[in-house]
Amino acid sequence: MLRGVDLDLSASAGELTARLVDIESVSGSEGPLADAIESALGECGHLSVVRDGNSIVARTDLGRARRVVLAGHIDTVPVADNLPSKVDQGNLFGCGTSDMKSGVAVQLKLAADVSAPVMDVTYVWYDCEEVETERNGLLRLSKNMPASLAGDFAILLEPTGGVVEGGCQGTLRAEIQAEGERAHSARAWMGNNAIHEAAEILYRLRNYEPRQPQVDGLSFREGLNAVGIRGGVAGNVIPDVCVVTVNYRFAPDRSADEAADHIRALFDGWQVRITDAAGGARPGLHSAAAASFVAAIGGTPRAKLGWTDVARFDALGIPAVNYGPGDPSVAHSRGEHVSLDAITECESRMRSWLAAS
Amino acid sequence: MLRGVDLDLSASAGELTARLVDIESVSGSEGPLADAIESALGECGHLSVVRDGNSIVARTDLGRARRVVLAGHIDTVPVADNLPSKVDQGNLFGCGTSDMKSGVAVQLKLAADVSAPVMDVTYVWYDCEEVETERNGLLRLSKNMPASLAGDFAILLEPTGGVVEGGCQGTLRAEIQAEGERAHSARAWMGNNAIHEAAEILYRLRNYEPRQPQVDGLSFREGLNAVGIRGGVAGNVIPDVCVVTVNYRFAPDRSADEAADHIRALFDGWQVRITDAAGGARPGLHSAAAASFVAAIGGTPRAKLGWTDVARFDALGIPAVNYGPGDPSVAHSRGEHVSLDAITECESRMRSWLAAS
């Protein structure tokens, strides 16, 4: 029986997911859940455990030739009247079931049970993934104790519907500014309308042909879009400035700097200000560890199009993929849920991989 | 000598302008100035005077064949550290000198002195011209006592640099809405970008050829411009709505309804919402009263391109022109001023017109 905030790691992965979900851990309030995880891992003599804030790293140190990193965040978006968890027709409902306490439960089951994996394993549970980057626990670990994240290959157990999703695309935002000259709108010819000038920016976006490159055998698909536009001074003034905010999602064969150069070249002649940029991650599926993982999981890997924390591993020189039992399409929704069978399958496949040669 | 808020109508028009300027009358605070005008006019036995709020109407009733209306507003924009007035090198500086207490001074001089004009004259001084339409004193008079504004021809003594400006253009604002479908920007092809769709709206505006029609012998010049644009949900969302606010300045041969139809036709296929529209005013320079006025003032009349209260006279069926001593380009500025010679010339020409056949 569970008492207080104890975690029973001998429970099934599905039961453990429910227990994790019921320990509310909205970003910034992960303390009780981190305590419970740290305490439960303390019973596992084959692991060395360290903690940094509300992030926890547990490692085997068996002197294996290769080391893999299994990582997951323990925070959730704000609860949407969907706690405590409940089971209905084979699905577990509740905040964080899909994104990503089911993945965290699989990590914990493997950590507790697989005491002699064929590769050394580093388990990482981190805080504040669902909020602004500066608070991200994985970023903090990469600064405070980068050696703790070292490995040949990393798996982020984010929801992927049970499919291996390789790498991720990068994302860049820029402001493209058209300029003109103010005038009273009753005498428009005295000025130059910046909003009219922005027509050409929008046409370039509309006619842009995004690349769909193959990277390490996976098909990526880029996109370049206006995500905002603003201009206007008053109802009787010809505006002198119009700013189009664009979001460029770029494949991981291009660095963030190369992506910025591409945008500057495309909008040559306008003021271009890069407001934020984060490089993607190559899938790295050609590495031996990745290949054995993909073979164990089965199915056909696909490219991850959204940016995820796998990019942080890529930045550390570690190839990384996303693979988890949750369904990404229900993440962050009031009706968030996960299939109990999907959790069992994920656990089973990963256990086979870690246990077999 | 001036005492309290008394006005000495025997002073020169320039001196009187200075006195009017020094009685601060920002929109909504015209009471003391209206009191002073009403009191001063009470001395003029040839005028009947009525008051509505802070607006005053004074009339001669000599049974003349024609009646002209001379109108001006007595409020100003907020003071910009430019009171009290001061004279420098033949110019009077201060808030309201150009717009339009110099015109008000000319009205007062004519009202007091020309006791037997060749046409009957209605003098109108009204409040709240510099603020939102609902508070406009001339609009209120046209509702509360429309008969008091009746006449064959009207002159608004707004600043025109001493040139007769005929009629005015109308103004219409509309929101043109492009629509799309939201999606995550990492998977842009699942949606439809409304900002990209707006490119065509901007191109139509950019390529629009404004009319320059002749109306009653004057050249007008239309304009159609974006004065605002907005769109965007978040930095990672394909936006489903983009709204372009346009301002159409149209010549007075077109009614506000016709202008709205023109905009709807031009942007056929998009949602068009007319947010406000005010018809212009035909110059009406062919009327006998107007022709005699133009002959007396001299110079070549031109079209008024900005919307002014002459449109309210047009709506009452009264042809109207703008003519005043101020320089419109310095109106509303900290350095607002008026040439003392221009005030004298305006007064002199109008006096000749009213006194001669």
Side-chain angles (χ1 to χ4, degrees):
Chain A
M1 259 189 70
L2 301 176
R3 290 180 304 275
V5 293
D6 286 348
L7 291 177
D8 177 5
L9 300 187
S10 69
S12 74
E15 290 166 344
L16 186 55
T17 301
R19 180 73 187 119
L20 294 169
V21 169
D22 292 341
I23 304 174
E24 191 178 312
S25 60
V26 175
S27 310
S29 306
E30 299 93 337
L33 180 54
D35 291 345
I37 290 172
E38 184 181 17
S39 166
L41 293 172
E43 309 293 313
C44 305
H46 60 286
L47 297 174
S48 60
V49 179
V50 294
R51 179 163 173 169
D52 179 83
N54 287 326
S55 291
I56 293 159
V57 179
R59 314 161 43 100
T60 65
D61 278 298
L62 303 166
R64 304 292 197 231
R66 288 203 291 270
R67 174 176 293 279
V68 297
V69 182
L70 306 189
H73 64 85
I74 62 172
D75 62 319
T76 70
V77 294
V79 179
D81 198 21
N82 52 0
L83 285 186
S85 63
K86 60 182 180 200
V87 175
D88 185 25
Q89 298 190 338
N91 289 307
L92 178 69
F93 284 79
C95 181
T97 45
S98 168
D99 186 10
M100 55 166 281
K101 289 184 175 175
S102 48
V104 169
V106 169
Q107 286 178 278
L108 284 169
K109 288 296 292 179
L110 298 174
D113 294 355
V114 186
S115 56
V118 294
M119 297 161 283
D120 270 314
V121 185
T122 302
Y123 299 93
V124 180
W125 293 274
Y126 62 99
D127 56 318
C128 287
E129 190 271 348
E130 299 286 9
V131 288
E132 57 273 27
T133 286
E134 307 84 70
R135 297 170 62 189
N136 185 289
L138 191 61
L139 177 64
R140 191 180 68 246
L141 284 172
S142 74
K143 292 175 177 170
N144 289 358
M145 42 174 85
S148 74
L149 299 180
D152 301 289
F153 178 54
I155 299 161
L156 199 59
L157 283 90
E158 286 272 11
T160 67
V163 175
V164 177
E165 293 189 330
C168 76
Q169 294 200 127
T171 179
L172 173 150
R173 262 172 287 269
E175 293 186 346
I176 320 296
Q177 179 163 319
E179 301 192 342
E181 195 176 340
R182 285 194 197 186
H184 195 289
S185 65
R187 289 172 292 277
W189 52 91
M190 306 287 284
N192 180 21
N193 195 315
I195 296 178
H196 296 194
E197 292 299 314
E200 181 61 27
I201 296 173
L202 300 191
Y203 255 83
R204 288 201 191 175
L205 288 167
R206 187 167 159 174
N207 296 331
Y208 184 80
E209 303 256 3
R211 297 191 312 142
Q212 298 194 28
Q214 297 278 319
V215 184
D216 294 356
L218 298 188
S219 287
F220 285 84
R221 186 168 179 178
E222 297 195 336
L224 174 61
N225 272 275
V227 291
I229 188 167
R230 63 179 192 274
V233 177
N236 60 354
V237 176
I238 302 303
D240 53 348
V241 171
C242 181
V243 177
V244 183
T245 303
V246 302
N247 182 210
Y248 178 35
R249 300 286 179 148
F250 53 97
D253 60 341
R254 194 166 257 186
S255 71
D257 284 347
E258 288 167 343
D261 287 345
H262 176 65
I263 295 301
R264 285 194 196 94
L266 187 63
F267 296 105
D268 189 28
W270 286 282
Q271 274 194 43
V272 175
R273 192 168 72 87
I274 309 295
T275 55
D276 68 275
R282 296 184 72 100
L285 295 179
H286 297 319
S287 74
S292 76
F293 174 71
V294 169
I297 302 305
T300 305
R302 65 186 174 211
K304 183 72 173 181
L305 299 178
W307 194 93
T308 75
D309 271 337
V310 296
R312 301 197 198 282
F313 286 106
D314 189 81
L316 294 168
I318 307 171
V321 300
N322 305 272
Y323 169 69
D327 173 355
S329 71
V330 298
H332 301 193
S333 74
R334 186 179 297 266
E336 181 175 357
H337 59 273
V338 64
S339 153
L340 291 169
D341 285 349
I343 302 175
T344 303
E345 183 174 317
C346 176
E347 180 200 359
S348 162
R349 290 179 188 268
M350 293 194 76
R351 186 187 292 269
S352 303
W353 173 57
L354 290 179
S357 71
Chain B
M1 257 189 75
L2 300 175
R3 290 180 306 274
V5 292
D6 286 347
L7 292 176
D8 177 4
L9 299 187
S10 70
S12 74
E15 290 165 346
L16 186 55
T17 301
R19 180 73 186 120
L20 294 168
V21 168
D22 292 341
I23 304 174
E24 192 178 313
S25 61
V26 176
S27 310
S29 307
E30 299 92 337
L33 180 54
D35 291 346
I37 291 172
E38 185 182 17
S39 166
L41 293 171
E43 310 294 313
C44 305
H46 59 286
L47 297 174
S48 60
V49 179
V50 295
R51 179 164 173 168
D52 179 84
N54 287 326
S55 291
I56 292 159
V57 179
R59 313 160 44 99
T60 65
D61 279 299
L62 303 166
R64 304 292 196 232
R66 288 203 291 271
R67 175 177 291 279
V68 297
V69 182
L70 306 189
H73 63 85
I74 63 172
D75 61 319
T76 70
V77 295
V79 179
D81 197 23
N82 51 0
L83 284 187
S85 63
K86 60 182 179 199
V87 175
D88 185 27
Q89 297 191 339
N91 290 306
L92 178 69
F93 285 79
C95 181
T97 45
S98 168
D99 185 9
M100 57 167 281
K101 290 184 175 175
S102 48
V104 168
V106 170
Q107 286 178 278
L108 285 169
K109 287 296 291 178
L110 298 174
D113 294 356
V114 187
S115 56
V118 294
M119 296 160 284
D120 270 314
V121 185
T122 303
Y123 298 93
V124 180
W125 293 274
Y126 62 99
D127 57 319
C128 287
E129 191 270 349
E130 298 287 9
V131 289
E132 57 273 29
T133 286
E134 307 84 69
R135 296 170 62 189
N136 185 290
L138 192 61
L139 176 63
R140 191 180 68 245
L141 284 172
S142 73
K143 292 175 177 169
N144 289 358
M145 42 174 87
S148 75
L149 300 180
D152 300 289
F153 179 54
I155 299 161
L156 199 59
L157 282 91
E158 287 272 10
T160 66
V163 175
V164 177
E165 294 189 329
C168 77
Q169 294 201 127
T171 179
L172 173 151
R173 262 172 287 268
E175 293 187 344
I176 320 296
Q177 180 164 318
E179 301 193 342
E181 195 176 342
R182 285 194 196 187
H184 194 290
S185 65
R187 289 172 292 277
W189 51 91
M190 307 287 284
N192 180 21
N193 195 315
I195 296 177
H196 297 193
E197 292 299 313
E200 181 60 28
I201 296 173
L202 300 190
Y203 255 83
R204 287 202 192 174
L205 288 167
R206 187 166 157 175
N207 295 331
Y208 183 80
E209 302 256 3
R211 296 190 314 143
Q212 297 194 28
Q214 297 278 318
V215 183
D216 294 356
L218 297 188
S219 288
F220 285 83
R221 186 169 180 177
E222 298 195 336
L224 174 60
N225 272 274
V227 290
I229 188 167
R230 63 179 193 275
V233 176
N236 60 353
V237 176
I238 302 303
D240 54 349
V241 172
C242 181
V243 177
V244 183
T245 303
V246 302
N247 182 209
Y248 178 35
R249 300 286 179 148
F250 54 96
D253 60 341
R254 193 165 258 185
S255 70
D257 284 347
E258 288 166 342
D261 288 344
H262 176 65
I263 295 302
R264 286 194 195 95
L266 188 63
F267 296 106
D268 188 28
W270 287 283
Q271 275 194 41
V272 174
R273 192 167 73 87
I274 309 294
T275 55
D276 68 274
R282 297 185 72 100
L285 294 179
H286 297 320
S287 75
S292 77
F293 174 71
V294 170
I297 301 305
T300 305
R302 64 185 174 211
K304 182 72 172 181
L305 300 177
W307 194 92
T308 76
D309 272 336
V310 295
R312 301 196 198 283
F313 286 106
D314 188 81
L316 293 168
I318 307 170
V321 301
N322 305 273
Y323 169 70
D327 173 354
S329 71
V330 299
H332 301 193
S333 74
R334 187 178 298 265
E336 182 175 355
H337 60 272
V338 64
S339 151
L340 292 169
D341 285 348
I343 302 175
T344 304
E345 182 173 317
C346 176
E347 180 201 359
S348 161
R349 289 179 188 269
M350 293 195 76
R351 185 186 293 267
S352 302
W353 173 57
L354 290 178
S357 71

